[in-house]
Amino acid sequence: MRISKKQAIAEKDHRIFLIRKGEGAGEQIADEKQKAYLSDRLKTGKQLSILNQFDPLIAVVCIDSLEQTEEQRLEVSRKAGFDLHPLLKDQEIESVVVINAGVEPAESIAFAEGLSLSNYQFLKYYSNTEGLSNKLERVEVLDQGLA
């Protein structure tokens, strides 16, 4: 598993947008139907919205943790990565781009850490590992706030 910084999105990249509650994905989501769907989901308190289940996958994760300490916000972000991992595993996604669309840079890194830690497996302790291995190999972070 590798986490790295990315400079630009490619057309085929699977995307995860990290947003704050009360702030939409802005210009990141161009389709008006997808924006309306996302708005409805956020109004009902949903933290995860899948906008496209085809190639590429497009997901929006709402990180709602402004009132908390920095350590708590980072843990909320890691847990959000953990919560999304089963979907990526089910879709057999090998690479994903985490896009900061309104959170702190440290939170986008923490989200990537949560995905990465969730992807770890203790396969060396299994006698038969056929079909058990996770496909996710690369998490790239697109965040203008990272040095």
Side-chain angles (χ1 to χ4, degrees):
M1 166 62 71
R2 193 177 94 207
I3 299 175
S4 61
K5 183 178 176 183
K6 186 158 178 112
Q7 300 297 326
I9 301 171
E11 186 176 329
K12 287 286 189 181
D13 285 340
H14 298 290
R15 302 169 190 128
I16 302 168
F17 294 97
L18 301 181
I19 65 170
R20 283 259 181 254
K21 186 174 183 178
E23 301 174 16
E27 69 278 351
Q28 304 289 340
I29 307 297
D31 186 277
E32 291 303 320
K33 287 182 182 179
Q34 289 179 341
K35 281 184 182 180
Y37 172 76
L38 177 60
S39 178
D40 290 344
R41 298 243 334 143
L42 292 173
K43 285 178 188 172
T44 61
K46 304 293 184 193
Q47 302 294 323
L48 171 64
S49 300
I50 305 301
L51 300 182
N52 184 4
Q53 294 181 341
F54 302 109
D55 202 13
L57 175 85
I58 299 173
V60 178
V61 177
C62 180
I63 307 288
D64 185 24
S65 59
L66 278 178
E67 309 83 35
Q68 301 171 341
T69 66
E70 182 177 3
E71 291 81 17
Q72 291 170 325
R73 286 195 316 269
L74 296 179
E75 192 57 30
V76 166
S77 298
R78 284 186 197 96
K79 183 167 181 338
F82 168 81
D83 291 343
L84 182 65
H85 185 265
L87 173 76
L88 300 178
K89 181 178 179 180
D90 181 60
Q91 298 292 319
E92 297 183 349
I93 291 176
E94 296 176 5
S95 174
V96 68
V97 178
V98 176
I99 303 163
N100 184 344
V103 300
E104 295 294 320
E107 290 171 293
S108 61
I109 294 296
F111 181 87
E113 287 174 354
L115 277 176
S116 179
L117 291 169
S118 301
N119 199 56
Y120 185 78
Q121 296 176 293
F122 294 92
L123 294 180
K124 67 181 180 180
Y125 298 107
Y126 286 82
S127 58
N128 182 8
T129 61
E130 188 174 326
L132 294 178
S133 181
N134 291 332
K135 302 289 185 211
L136 187 62
E137 295 178 5
R138 192 171 63 247
V139 177
E140 298 175 301
V141 179
L142 178 63
D143 190 326
Q144 302 305 321
L146 295 177

